[in-house]
Amino acid sequence: MSAAPTPRVVVQNDAGEVADETARRIAEAARARVRASGRFTIALAGGTTPKRAYELLAERPDVPWGAIDFYFGDERAVPHDDPDSNYRMARESLFDRQSIEEGRIFRMRGELTDLDAAASEYEAVLPQSLDFVLLGMGEDGHTASLFPGSAAVLEEERRVLAVVGPKPPPRRLTLAPPALRAAREIVVLVTGSAKAAVLARALTGPIDVHALPVQIALGATFIVDHAAAADLPARLTSPGSSEENRS
Ligand code: 6PG
């Protein structure tokens, strides 16, 4: 069994600096990928943590907006203009601020009654390998809408699934592990003391993705604030602990 990858942990002073560093990394990755391939594909995270990062990204002058295609890591089964919609959050914090053309936004249609059909529809437009996936983490160790104990966490074929989870609203669409594992780069955002214990378990404990789905992204870069990093060992957070800290 191959050794678990060592996560790269970047610790920022507070949630504001996490947002700023995230926006900087997305802009940097987009520029590099557009130079290399002419296009940049990114799956956005939902929830509340990334909102400020999207607002800061929208203000940056160094982003090749016309070459970016936007996807989503997950979506709730609500109308696209519902306050619980991840798409609505991204529209308000990013798309509307940069007038991103509709053809470059690939929304998960959570409003469909048949969520399995919505999952298949999304799988058909999802690139085989996303350039960048932004993820959050819940206090139970979920990521996207892959929740502890869910069969979706163990999926090895499908790249998009319809799921029912404990976080309201329960019915959701989510990228499945094959889509996450195929991504060129993953960044996981974690802030706040409430997530410190589960983050430490995920990054230093035994590998059990069924119990801690965020461990699917152990090869990712975790951008965290001091509060979320409180229980992490110095080997993960001290300067020089990874190339991230040497950069
Ligand atoms: C969702 C998110 C979910 C989120 C985490 C963290 O649709 O709910 O995709 O995975 O990233 O629950 O949420 P917060 O950023 O609000 O803490």
Side-chain angles (χ1 to χ4, degrees), residues 7 26 36 44 55 104 129 147 149 158 183 195 204 230:
I26 293 172
L44 299 176
E55 294 170 347
R104 287 202 171 273
S129 172
F147 292 94
R158 296 290 307 277
K195 298 180 181 180
T204 64

Side-chain angles (χ1 to χ4, degrees), residues 37-174:
S37 72
R39 183 186 183 213
F40 179 66
T41 58
I42 180 171
L44 299 176
T48 60
T49 305
K51 187 171 188 297
R52 184 60 185 143
Y54 300 159
E55 294 170 347
L56 292 173
L57 182 64
E59 294 169 7
R60 293 186 69 100
D62 58 350
V63 181
W65 296 109
I68 303 179
D69 289 336
F70 294 91
Y71 297 83
F72 289 83
D74 68 341
E75 184 58 275
R76 293 85 177 274
V78 297
H80 66 82
D81 56 358
D82 188 289
D84 275 334
S85 164
N86 288 335
Y87 164 81
R88 172 173 163 172
M89 185 271 281
R91 169 156 293 289
E92 292 173 348
S93 57
L94 177 58
F95 302 150
D96 285 350
R97 297 173 185 230
Q98 271 295 339
S99 306
I100 305 294
E101 57 186 86
E102 286 306 317
R104 287 202 171 273
I105 302 170
F106 297 84
R107 183 174 70 80
M108 290 180 167
R109 294 207 297 162
E111 70 275 15
L112 295 186
T113 306
D114 184 345
L115 281 183
D116 289 320
S120 299
E121 173 190 84
Y122 202 73
E123 204 165 46
V125 301
L126 188 69
Q128 284 302 321
S129 172
L130 286 157
D131 292 322
F132 197 105
V133 175
L134 189 65
L135 295 172
M137 186 194 75
E139 295 176 27
D140 60 356
H142 80 259
T143 194
S145 286
L146 298 170
F147 292 94
S150 164
V153 178
L154 304 177
E155 173 63 39
E156 296 187 351
E157 300 296 328
R158 296 290 307 277
R159 300 184 300 134
V160 183
L161 291 171
V163 299
V164 178
K167 178 179 179 182
R171 296 176 65 245
R172 293 154 169 258
L173 292 165
T174 187

